[in-house]
């Protein structure tokens, strides 16, 4: 027996009255794990029962421990009739399987019922004892840590980043069986909750296995999603980035800079083909030992992750003869060959070597959005791919499908059709990979995947940012540290290096306007940069940033099956184009030149498609200043029209000027080049083409980059265009005291206070008029989003001055004529007094280095800018000020469009893969507890001590902070307790009585928050970071007075302490140990 | 275009005190929006009417969901559904249990029964308090009454602990419970000039000095019921007015002490016997429940009104009552000093409070 799970039921409180006669309840509890069930005694006639049960012991495989949740059911004993269930608690025991996470689960959990919501609370204790077993063929992956956080978790150091891991499991959806009336909706919803809990456990275990296989010990940026495909089943899929993390202790800093000598060892496995290049490294080696970049100069920052990890010599030989071949991108861009003469051997070499490291991977993707300093070398731009698939339709969607029938069908499908959902994603990932290659990049960072399903049509989307990474974190790279080191000293200071183009400027993958970097003046940069990642901490930014959204509605005819899929596929390129145009124009309107955290969501409904692109616009100091926007009339001579155009032009210019002031954008280059004027010089002008309804064969030639025409002129040739311009101007800037962004933090604000307010808001709009045009629909959609923002400003006015960070909008079309927008974000208050920022950031968060950098670098960069202005005056002016093309990153768009067309021809089928395991195996597998124990300086006991200390507080409930960000300002995360991944369903048959859908959803969301907080508190934590609500699916039938809602949330449970608390460790461990000792008896 | 659904949920529950007050005052959502607009809310954060409406709706929903918890405040502290910082919890409870003095004045001393509840709409109309607010306040009284009825120990302390109220509010509730329990008559026309705070003060005096709890703090209902033995002993005070010698002696002692100290001396001297008879008669009759109910009206009729018609000042009252009480100690044949002090201590302070110039 590899593991023993122990559970104890202590007490209940606030139970509902189950016996009307006595106004009391005779409660008892069933504790179930796998197929074993224990019961407590009945505690008669009490709403606050004290069971104080024995320890129920389950002897189980660690595999089951990973897959199954502990199920606790509270019931009301009834002598004569069946016992009534009061509600349930599912406890994910995964955090207990990892010695570095929680050691005990103990606390009050809300008792949850799908119909009644929370009905009282139950106090439970859960422990796990794992036995040592060294079986290498194990099926479990206990001990692999999971993090939702999309950066290296604080307090850890990435020794290695192994790369992309993905997995998916499919099962029937129990929801679709209640139609056969064997089960009540409640039973089926409970079955569904249980199933999904099982499936996520299984999925996590499988991913963990892959990580172990790769030699990692953690998954960072773990993103799990559900696809409710209706009749064709339920898919749970996840992606993440496998890493080897090392706990950071204060001592670990010592060997930070001792790295380069380990180089020779790993050199040994370099294949001969590389040897010829070695001298190059040797030459530059000395420079690396110096302090070329500011971040290496920060010995004071005890928490800064040491940039170099002493790699063990890699066991896997990198066969460079193979990889050399793959250096030349298959797209025929020829960047490999020609790069040499342009960028010098170093650059080529860099690309070659990193490519070597990454090419061996199937998908060089990273779900991370922010990186240790130096990890990200260059950023190419956004790559994305979408594909429209038909989910298998069994036949008539009407009621009456029996289960057996479906099973039959499934089997036959599996037999006939090899295509699987895996294959669908594989296709998309391949496409992303090739796009990245076309951009001269070997990796994709900030990678994410999502789906939108309407009936049988499913849009699969993936997007990320093409990038070149520093290979020193890659295991397969097998590169010696000395050489990796020096190559990144090449002329890119960290404040602008990532902006420098990764592709070869003579063979650009798409038309773009390049200039010399405004920061270092040595490398070329594009005029605009779009990315899906967070703003790198070391980036030099001018002024503040803001949330920029492009919103779009497109009507489509109702259709079925393939016709429908084709129609959607045809619409997609136009939507992307328009969203891109909107983003570009709005960016110009704010006088900014880069987008971070770009997330484009396209959601499909029966009769419309919704597109929402959100990103945070900033002015990167390294990039050229954007030009203004010029309005051009189609027909000259019409005086009225001319005046109108002039009026609009004036408004636009005013807006730009206002925005510059608002976001404090005063780049030093302004005077130097004269590009500050909102109206570009006539020669800068070119025209932006509006896409009218082209026929589909044009689609493949659609050029999102606008070709050589420049993006700054809007031509008013029809009423639509006027509307568009109006909608451009309609976006209200946030009121004074507010900033907005969808990234982790806002550049230019460093002095956060500890006040955070996380919130979720959902709004659904019913379109009353069926005959809406695209334009009016757009207006409605835009207003919906804008009004939501306005509401937030008003609600959070007491937090001023504050920044709404991580504003994450999700759109859906739950039914015909309904538009649903859900937002989760956090309002973070900051100190107005900017002079304090130094002090605050010094003591600030784990990210001292992050926070200090911008300050130092800003100062740095401005001085470098000032000085070399004369030096660069010699640069031919037309290089800098010549007409700019709009797109940098959409280069692969044409490519993508054609792929869409291909993809839509592929008809998809559902398959059953990796169905949920219910049988119990008795392999003896386990994890060495002891071996892991000593790598964690803080082992068990901590949570207990925290808990014991909080009971002294005034309130008996721990305050649990939640935030979508990876940190809490003013605090230090001292321990990650494990991942929170919860799925709930709530239903009602008395919608009106519960206050309508709003009342229903309001209480449900509040309940979900409460359950997350309770689980975190029971793990001993006091905060959730990287919190997100991934799904909120609401179905209603007001006529029947019914509604149902599914919510999926995730995040990382942590213990954090205030920055000011000096040494909580020692005292807490002591208390913790005594507590643990107590608990063990 | 209709907003089908609109919710905003914060991890820390966001509650606006102003909206909370409007909700407590029984405003409908629409009326609350109007009030907020009139209050200049539109200028804040570029809000418009829709924003206000949406915000008000959200808050009202939150309050409704919270109401169940507010009715047993102890639960609010250890419930998990809403994360509310402790100081906000205190505010929520304090405001929820706050009441309008005009309203409570109407129900003070009445039985907290269904019958009274039916009259709430009349009371609402009379006092200008919305029916919804009346109901909340009435239900609060009733809830507190029901809970403390079954508890041992000091009334104020019980209320404070069970409902987590401030000391002031707990005292007010104690007064309300005390009045409701003893059914003191407060509604007569002659008593209309008295405010709730006047009565609350008197209730505090009675609770502290005349109840069972004043001598023994272990009995049930100790602070709610008057000390029967004490009421019985009060009958002994009758001697002060029945014994003619004693009465005269008492009068001369008081008059000697008062002479030259007040303009109203003549009236005092003239009225002494009347007033003394009045006060002692109130004392001797308190064994009858009916007369207990009329305690306040008797005080007004037998003492306050005569004094007022003679234009005594508050200072006169104080002076008179002090000497009246103290002089009794000098009377040789008067043996009931302890009872006299216990009685007059309360009477004195009640009359001070009830005597408005």
């Amino acid at each position: 027996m590899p593991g023993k799970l122990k559970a104890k039921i202590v007490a209940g409180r606030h139970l509902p009255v189950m016996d009307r006669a006595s106004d009391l309840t005779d409660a008892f509890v069933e504790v179930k794990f796998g197929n074993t069930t224990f019961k407590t005694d009945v505690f008669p006639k009490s709403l606050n029962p004290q069971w104080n049960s024995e320890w129920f012991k389950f002897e189980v495989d660690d595999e089951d421990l990973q897959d199954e949740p502990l199920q606790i059911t509270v019931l009301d004993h009834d002598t004569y009739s069946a016992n009534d269930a009061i509600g349930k608690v599912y406890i994910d025991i995964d955090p207990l399987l990892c010695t570095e996470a929680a050691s005990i689960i103990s606390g009050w959990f809300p008792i949850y019922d799908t119909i009644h919501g929370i009905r009282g609370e139950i106090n439970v204790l859960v422990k796990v004892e794992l036995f040592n077993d060294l079986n290498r063929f194990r099926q479990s992956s206990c001990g692999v840590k999971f993090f939702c956080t999309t950066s290296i978790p604080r307090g850890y150091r990435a020794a290695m980043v192994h790369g992309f891991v993905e997995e998916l499991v499919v099962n029937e959806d129990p929801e679709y069986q209640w139609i056969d009336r064997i089960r009540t909706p409640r039973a089926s919803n409970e079955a569904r909750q249980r199933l999904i809990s099982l499936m996520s456990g299984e999925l996590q275990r499988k991913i963990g296995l892959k990580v172990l296989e790769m030699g990692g010990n953690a998954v960072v940026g773990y993103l799990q999603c559900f696809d409710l495909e209706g009749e064709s089943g339920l898919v749970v899929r996840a992606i993440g980035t496998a890493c080897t993390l090392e706990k950071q202790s204060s001592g670990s800093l010592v060997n930070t800079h001792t790295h380069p000598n380990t180089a020779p060892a790993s050199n040994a496995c370099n294949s001969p083909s590389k040897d010829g290049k070695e001298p190059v490294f040797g030459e530059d080696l000395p420079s690396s030992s110096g302090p070329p970049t500011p971040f290496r100069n920060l010995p004071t920052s005890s928490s800064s992750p040491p940039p170099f990890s002493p790699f063990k010599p890699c066991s896997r030989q990198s066969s460079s003869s193979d990889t050399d071949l793959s250096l030349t991108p298959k797209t025929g861009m020829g960047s490999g060959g020609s790069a040499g003469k342009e960028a010098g051997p170093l650059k080529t070499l860099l690309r070659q070597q990193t490519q070597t490291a990454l090419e061996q991977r199937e998908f060089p993707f990273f779900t991370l959005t922010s990186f240790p300093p130096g990890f990200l070398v260059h950023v190419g731009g956004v790559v994305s791919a979408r594909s429209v698939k038909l989910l298998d339709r069994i036949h008539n969607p009407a009621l009456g499908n029996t289960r057996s029938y479906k099973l039959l069908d499934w089997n036959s499908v599996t037999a006939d059709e090899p295509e699987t959902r895996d294959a669908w994603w594989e296709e998309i990932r391949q496409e992303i990979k090739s796009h990245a290659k076309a951009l001269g990049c070997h990796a994709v960072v900030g990678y994410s995947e999502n789906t939108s399903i309407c009936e049988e049509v499913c849009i699969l989307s993936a997007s990320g940012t093409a990038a070149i990474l520093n290979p020193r974190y890659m295991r397969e790279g097998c590169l010696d540290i000395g050489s990796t080191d020096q190559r990144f000293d090449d002329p890119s200071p960290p404040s602008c290096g990532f902006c420098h183009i990764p592709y070869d400027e003579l063979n650009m993958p798409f038309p773009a306007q390049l200039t010399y970097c405004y920061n270092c003046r040595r490398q070329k940069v594009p005029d605009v940069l779009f990315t899906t990642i967070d703003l790198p901490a070391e980036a030099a930014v001018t002024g503040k940033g803001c949330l920029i959204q492009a919103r779009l509605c497109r009507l489509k005819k109702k259709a079925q099956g393939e016709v429908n899929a084709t129609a959607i596929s045809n619409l997609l390129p136009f939507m992307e184009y328009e969203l891109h145009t909107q983003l570009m124009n709005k960016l110009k309107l704010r006088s900014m030149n880069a987008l971070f955290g770009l997330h484009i969501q396209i959601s499909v409904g029966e009769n419309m498609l919704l597109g929402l692109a959100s990103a945070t616009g900033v002015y990167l100091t390294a990039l050229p200043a954007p030009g203004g926007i010029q309005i051009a009339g189609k027909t000259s001579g019409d005086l009225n029209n001319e005046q109108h155009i002039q009026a609009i032009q004036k408004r636009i210019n005013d807006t730009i000027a206002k925005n510059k002031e608002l976001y404090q954008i005063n780049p030093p280059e302004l005077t130097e080049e004269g590009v500050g004027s909102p109206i570009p010089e006539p020669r800068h002008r070119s025209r932006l083409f509006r896409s009218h309804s082209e026929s589909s064969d044009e689609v493949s030639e659609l050029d999102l980059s606008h070709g050589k025409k420049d993006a700054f002129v809007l031509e008013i040739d029809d009423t639509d265009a006027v509307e568009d311009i109006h909608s451009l101007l309609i976006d209200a800037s946030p009121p004074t005291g507010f900033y907005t962004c969808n990234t982790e933090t806002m550049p230019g604000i460093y002095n956060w206070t500890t006040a955070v307010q996380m919130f979720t808001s959902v709004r659904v709009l019913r379109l009353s008029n069926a005959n809406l045009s695209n334009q009016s629909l757009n207006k409605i959609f835009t207003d919906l989003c804008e009004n939501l923002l306005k509401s937030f400003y008003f609600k959070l006015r007491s937090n001023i001055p504050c920044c709404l960070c991580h504003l994450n909008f999700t759109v859906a079309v739950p039914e015909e004529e309904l538009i649903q927008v859900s937002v989760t974000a956090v309002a973070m208050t900051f100190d107005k007094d900017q002079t304090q920022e130094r002090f605050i950031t010094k003591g600030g968060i784990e990210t001292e280095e992050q926070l200090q950098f911008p300050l130092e670098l800003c100062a740095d960069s401005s001085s470098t800018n000032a000085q070399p202005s004369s030096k660069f005056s010699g640069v031919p002016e037309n290089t800098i000020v010549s007409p700019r093309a709009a797109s940098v990153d959409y280069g692969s768009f044409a490519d993508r469009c054609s792929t869409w067309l291909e993809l839509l021809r592929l008809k998809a089928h559902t398959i059953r893969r990796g169905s949920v395991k219910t049988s119990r195996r008795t392999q003896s597998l386990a994890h060495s507890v002891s071996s892991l124990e000593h790598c964690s300086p803080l082992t068990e006991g901590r949570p207990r001590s925290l808990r014991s200390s909080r009971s002294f507080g005034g309130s008996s409930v721990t305050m649990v902070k939640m935030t979508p960000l990876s940190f809490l300002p003013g605090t230090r995360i001292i321990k990650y307790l494990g991942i929170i991944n919860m799925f709930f369903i709530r239903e009602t048959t008395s919608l009106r009585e519960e206050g309508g859908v709003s009342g229903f959803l309001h209480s449900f969301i509040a309940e979900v928050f409460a359950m997350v907080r309770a689980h975190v508190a029971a793990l001993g934590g006091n905060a959730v970071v990287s919190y997100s609500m991934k799904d909120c699916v609401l179905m209603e039938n007001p006529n029947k007075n019914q509604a149902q809602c599914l919510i999926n949330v995730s995040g990382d449970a942590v213990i954090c302490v205030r920055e000011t608390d000096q040494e909580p460790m020692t005292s807490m461990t002591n208390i913790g140990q005594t507590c643990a000792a107590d608990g063990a008896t | 275009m209709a907003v089908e659904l609109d919710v905003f949920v914060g991890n820390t529950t966001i509650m606006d005190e102003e909206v909370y007050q409007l909700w407590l005052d029984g405003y409908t959502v629409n009326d609350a929006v109007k009030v907020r607009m009139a209050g200049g809310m539109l200028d804040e954060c570029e809000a418009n009417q829709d924003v206000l409406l949406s915000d008000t709706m959200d808050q009202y929903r939150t309050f409704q969901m919270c109401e169940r918890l507010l009715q047993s405040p102890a639960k609010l502290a250890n419930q998990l559904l809403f994360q509310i910082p402790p100081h906000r919890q205190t505010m929520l409870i304090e405001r929820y249990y706050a009441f309008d003095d005009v309203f409570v004045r109407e129900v003070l001393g009445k039985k907290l029964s269904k019958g009274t509840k039916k009259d709430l709409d009349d009371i609402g109309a009379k006092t200008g308090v919305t029916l919804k607010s009346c109901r909340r306040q009435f239900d609060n009284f009733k809830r507190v009454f029901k809970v403390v009825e079954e508890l041992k120990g000091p009334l104020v302390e019980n209320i404070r602990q069970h409902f987590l109220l401030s000391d002031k509010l707990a005292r007010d509730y104690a007064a309300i419970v005390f009045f409701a329990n003893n059914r003191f008559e407060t509604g007569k026309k002659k008593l209309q000039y008295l405010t709730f705070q006047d009565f609350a003060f008197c209730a505090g005096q009675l609770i502290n000095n005349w109840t069972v709890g004043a001598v023994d703090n272990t009995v049930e209902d100790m602070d709610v019921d008057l000390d029967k033995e004490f009421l019985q002993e009060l009958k002994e005070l009758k001697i002060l007015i029945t014994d003619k010698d004693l009465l005269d002696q008492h009068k001369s002692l008081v008059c000697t002490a008062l002479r030259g100290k007040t303009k109203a001396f003549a009236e005092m001297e003239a009225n002494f016997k009347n007033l003394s008879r009045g006060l002692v008669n109130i004392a001797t009759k308190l064994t009858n429940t009916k007369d207990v109910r009329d305690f306040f009206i008797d005080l007004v009729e037998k003492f306050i009104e005569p004094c007022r018609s003679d234009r005594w000042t508050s200072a006169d009252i104080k002076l008179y009552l002090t000497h009246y009480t103290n002089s009794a100690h000098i009377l040789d044949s008067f043996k009931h000093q302890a009872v006299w002090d216990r009685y007059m201590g309360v009477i004195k302070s009640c009359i001070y409070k009830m005597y408005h110039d």
Side-chain angles (χ1 to χ4, degrees), chain A residues 528-542:
Chain A
V528 180
L529 187 62
F530 284 15
T531 72
T532 58
I533 56 171
D534 267 330
L535 182 68
E538 60 271 23
V541 173
T542 304

Side-chain angles (χ1 to χ4, degrees), chain A residues 13-14 108 110 118 121 733 735 738 757-768 780 790-797 800 955-962 997-999 1001-1003 1005-1007 1009-1010 1013-1014 1034 1036, chain B residues 1-14 16 18-19 36 41-42 44-48 50-52 54-59 61-62 64-65 68-69 74-86 89:
Chain A
R13 68 183 183 197
H14 308 158
W108 290 98
I118 292 178
E121 289 121 37
S733 41
F738 276 106
Q757 170 68 56
M758 190 280 290
F759 61 88
T760 289
S761 181
V762 182
R763 220 172 254 199
V764 176
L765 206 64
R766 183 175 289 281
L767 308 169
S768 49
I780 289 164
K790 273 186 198 154
S791 272
F792 300 159
Y793 301 143
F794 181 74
K795 289 233 183 232
L796 300 162
R797 64 193 183 284
I800 285 179
S955 156
S956 55
V957 180
T958 333
M959 290 293 272
V960 176
K961 288 190 173 183
M962 287 162 76
V997 266
S998 294
L1001 190 64
H1002 192 139
S1003 48
I1005 294 176
E1007 281 165 353
F1009 285 179
R1013 287 192 302 256
L1034 181 75
E1036 52 161 333
Chain B
M1 249 55 55
V3 176
E4 179 98 356
L5 177 155
D6 179 15
V7 297
F8 178 102
V9 190
N11 180 39
T12 304
T13 309
I14 294 182
D16 184 306
E18 187 203 344
V19 186
R36 297 183 82 188
M41 264 335 219
L42 288 186
E44 281 198 48
C45 287
E46 295 160 25
N48 56 34
D50 291 341
V51 167
L52 272 180
S54 149
D55 179 57
T56 312
M57 292 276 271
D58 263 324
Q59 306 252 6
R61 267 199 306 271
T62 310
Q64 267 152 30
M65 283 189 257
R68 188 179 51 83
L69 297 164
K75 273 189 193 168
L76 191 66
N78 60 15
Q79 52 85 33
L80 303 175
L81 189 56
F82 298 102
Q83 182 157 271
I84 307 168
Q89 291 182 11

Side-chain angles (χ1 to χ4, degrees), chain B residues 276-317:
Chain B
S276 187
R277 244 180 238 128
L279 290 180
V280 174
N281 274 330
I282 294 175
T284 53
K285 287 194 300 174
L286 281 177
T287 38
N288 292 329
T289 330
K290 170 77 182 67
D291 290 303
V292 169
R293 286 184 195 173
D294 287 342
F295 175 71
F296 291 101
I297 195 136
D298 286 345
L299 276 185
V300 169
E301 282 178 351
K302 301 281 159 49
F303 192 89
I304 293 171
E305 283 188 338
C307 296
R308 200 185 285 148
S309 65
D310 289 343
R311 303 186 176 278
W312 294 23
T313 63
S314 291
D316 293 336
I317 294 278

